Structure formats: C-alpha cells, structure tokens
Amino acid sequence: MKQRWLEVLVYMGWTHSLNHGLFIAITPLIPMIISEGYSYLEIGLLLSLYLLLYSFGSLFSAPLLRLIEDRKILFSSLMLQGSSALFLLVPGLTGLSLFIALAGVFASLYHPVSNIFIFNRFREKVNIAMGIHGTGGNFAQFIFPLMSFFLAVNLGWRTALIITGLTVSLSSIPYLATPRGEKTGVKTERVFKGFIKVVSQRPLLLLICFSLLFGLYYRGIEVFLPTYLNSEKGFSEEASSVALSMLLLAGALGQYLGGIIGDRLNEATVLLSASILELVSLMLLQTVSGYALIMLTTALLGLAFYSHQPAANSLFGKKSAE
C-alpha cells in the first residue's frame, strides 16, 4: 500500500471510532440519565430507535452513492450526526429524542459507504485494509466511555454528549481533502437496487441474516453492559466504564487478527470461530465472579465479536462484485 493510502486508512480508523463513539458515549451515562427521572423503558426504546434507524438508514446509501462522491457522504454523515447533539440544549425528553433519532439516521450512512470506499481502493488486500480500518476504530473507540463519564461527572451528561458530538463533527472535515482513488469494480448499482433485489441473492441473504443475529445481541450487550455490571455484579460506575473500554480495546485486537486470518485462511473459518468464541464468552459472563475474571471475560467478548467484522465485510464486497 502506498504511504498516502495508509494515512487515509489510519484517519478512517479514527472516524470509524467516532461514528460509533457518540452512541457508545451514552451507555455509561445511563444511570445518570435515569437519575433525572427517565425510566429504563424510555431509554431502552430510544436506543432501540437509534439502532433501528441505524440499520435501515443504510439502505439509502446506495442512491446517494450514485449522486454524491463517497468521501462527501462520509463527511456529511459525521458532520450531521455530531451536530445533532446540539438538540440536547432542548430540555426534557424532546431534546434527547431528537438527538438520538437524528444521530442514528446520519450515522447509518457511514458503514456502507466506508466499506465501498475501502473496497474500491484496496481490493488486492481488502481483508487487511478492513482490519486496519476496524482496528483503528476500536482502538480509538475505547476512550469514549471513559471520556464521557469523566466529562459527565464534572460538567453533566448533556454537556458531555455535546462535546463528544462536536468532536465528531470537527473530525469530518479532512474527508474533503482525501484522494478520490480509482474505481476497481464494486458495482454499487447492482448490489443496492433495493432490499428485495439484495435478499434475492442467496449468499448475500445468508450474510445479512448472520450479521443481523450477530449484531442484535451484541448491541444489546454493548448498550447495557455498564448497567448490568453495576446492578448485577457490584461494579462501580467508574469500573463499569472501564469494562466497556476494555471490551472495545480487545475488539481492536480482534479486528486486526480477523483481517490477517481472513487473508491467510478464509472468511468462513473466521466467522465460525468467532461465533463459537462469542457463545463461550457470553456463558462465562453469566457465571464468573470477581473483578479480574469479569474483566477478562469482557475482553474475550470484544475479541470474539470484532474479529468477525473484516471477514464479513470482505465477503459482502466479494459477493456484491460477482
């Protein structure tokens, strides 16, 4: 890889972390938000709304790719989702709802477009490129639970999320200066002609089902892990934030290893191994006790989940190009 493109990948790793960071910054703050009179039901529904919009909003990335350059979509995705945090200046449930809903919509555009961006420029080393992108994302992402908790303790949870949002927005600007790259054959018009068209392709349908199931329970864990550790395992709020950061940091290693193994062996082996390891780590999380063992199990959980992502993204790209 040329040095210039490696720099772009490192930058994309940072923006990848930011795309998830705003959502992750909320999770260790849930007890603080609840203490202001909101219910677990309200917060759970709002975060579910975010994930729903995040999932289905990505379907609109294809029409945008045909109209707007990929790097400009990535810029807009980060700029607008970060700016949505300003709705937290509106008091009560209204401001919180607007923030979460709009952040979910704009964040949804990032992943499909970033995957096409990478696949069109690094096709010969796509697994490694996806791994670097993911590793950078997780490595930087682990700071958000700690950062948001520290800011919230000193400035309040709304201010903490607004600062995080502005960080996301400002970090989007360099995308406008990234090289365009050369198209290498990913036919976005063939892949994204509509949901029915996509699911009619059996390999893609299987990958979509796998990703939905794998992501469904993991996102639930990611959202409520700090609350679970605080209420069921006796962790302090600080320790719960550290545990979430540990999960994300281990995920950086998982992304890197998943990319390497996917290139040297095959993607199916990575997906199967990650699934088995994820199941084992989930069972251990329910049974182990003690700070050290729980932290180790949390790290194993992050390693297992994130190791599958480079292989899954690579398979999506390969099957889409066929």
Side-chain angles (χ1 to χ4, degrees), residues 34 55 66 89 98 104 118-119 148 157 160 164 167 171 181 185 197 225 237 253 266 271 273 292 297-298 303-304 308:
I34 296 296
S55 299
R66 289 194 290 270
L89 296 173
L98 287 171
I118 291 172
F119 196 81
S148 66
W157 64 268
T164 305
T167 302
S171 296
K197 175 86 173 187
L225 178 66
E237 292 179 353
L253 178 61
N266 59 72
L271 297 183
S273 301
T297 303
T298 301
L303 181 73
H308 94 282

Side-chain angles (χ1 to χ4, degrees), residues 25-42:
I26 301 173
T27 59
L29 307 185
I30 290 177
M32 295 184 189
I33 299 173
I34 296 296
S35 69
E36 291 193 4
Y38 301 98
S39 67
Y40 280 106
L41 177 61
E42 289 173 331

Side-chain angles (χ1 to χ4, degrees), residues 98-257:
L98 287 171
F99 156 58
I100 289 177
L102 290 175
V105 169
F106 296 126
S108 69
L109 300 176
Y110 180 87
H111 258 296
V113 178
S114 66
N115 289 342
I116 293 297
F117 184 101
I118 291 172
F119 196 81
N120 280 339
R121 292 159 174 82
F122 304 95
R123 193 170 185 181
E124 293 183 359
K125 293 290 184 180
V126 66
N127 276 288
I128 293 177
M130 292 289 187
I132 293 173
H133 178 236
T135 299
N138 281 81
F139 186 75
Q141 192 172 282
F142 88 96
I143 69 174
F144 285 99
L146 298 175
M147 183 182 79
S148 66
F149 182 79
F150 173 79
L151 290 173
V153 167
N154 291 278
L155 301 173
W157 64 268
R158 288 180 182 269
T159 303
L161 292 175
I162 290 173
I163 291 174
T164 305
L166 293 177
T167 302
V168 174
S169 292
L170 291 174
S171 296
S172 69
I173 296 174
Y175 263 118
L176 297 177
T178 56
R180 293 190 176 190
E182 184 177 344
K183 296 284 185 180
T184 56
V186 175
K187 300 176 182 178
T188 56
E189 72 280 0
R190 181 178 176 185
V191 180
F192 299 113
K193 281 194 172 179
F195 182 73
I196 301 300
K197 175 86 173 187
V198 171
V199 299
S200 67
Q201 302 177 52
R202 187 171 181 273
L204 284 176
L205 177 59
L206 291 175
L207 284 170
I208 289 170
C209 291
F210 174 84
S211 296
L212 283 174
L213 292 174
F214 216 67
L216 182 63
Y217 65 78
Y218 177 78
R219 288 305 177 191
I221 293 168
E222 189 177 65
V223 169
F224 287 108
L225 178 66
T227 304
Y228 170 77
L229 294 178
N230 179 253
S231 61
E232 300 296 329
K233 297 293 186 178
F235 275 38
S236 66
E237 292 179 353
E238 295 90 340
S240 298
S241 299
V242 172
L244 182 57
S245 292
M246 178 68 73
L247 181 146
L248 297 169
L249 185 59
L253 178 61
Q255 290 266 13
Y256 178 72
L257 292 176

Side-chain angles (χ1 to χ4, degrees), residues 291-310:
Y291 182 81
L293 281 177
I294 292 174
M295 292 293 283
L296 183 62
T297 303
T298 301
L300 184 64
L301 187 65
L303 181 73
F305 175 77
Y306 285 100
S307 63
H308 94 282
Q309 289 188 346

Side-chain angles (χ1 to χ4, degrees), residues 58-115:
S58 61
L59 294 174
F60 295 97
S61 61
L64 287 175
L65 274 170
R66 289 194 290 270
L67 298 172
I68 306 172
E69 195 178 349
D70 51 12
R71 59 181 183 164
K72 293 181 181 178
I73 297 177
L74 295 176
F75 161 76
S76 300
S77 171
L78 295 166
M79 175 62 73
L80 293 173
Q81 69 171 288
S83 300
S84 68
L86 294 175
F87 280 101
L88 289 170
L89 296 173
V90 179
L93 188 61
T94 301
L96 182 60
S97 300
L98 287 171
F99 156 58
I100 289 177
L102 290 175
V105 169
F106 296 126
S108 69
L109 300 176
Y110 180 87
H111 258 296
V113 178
S114 66
N115 289 342

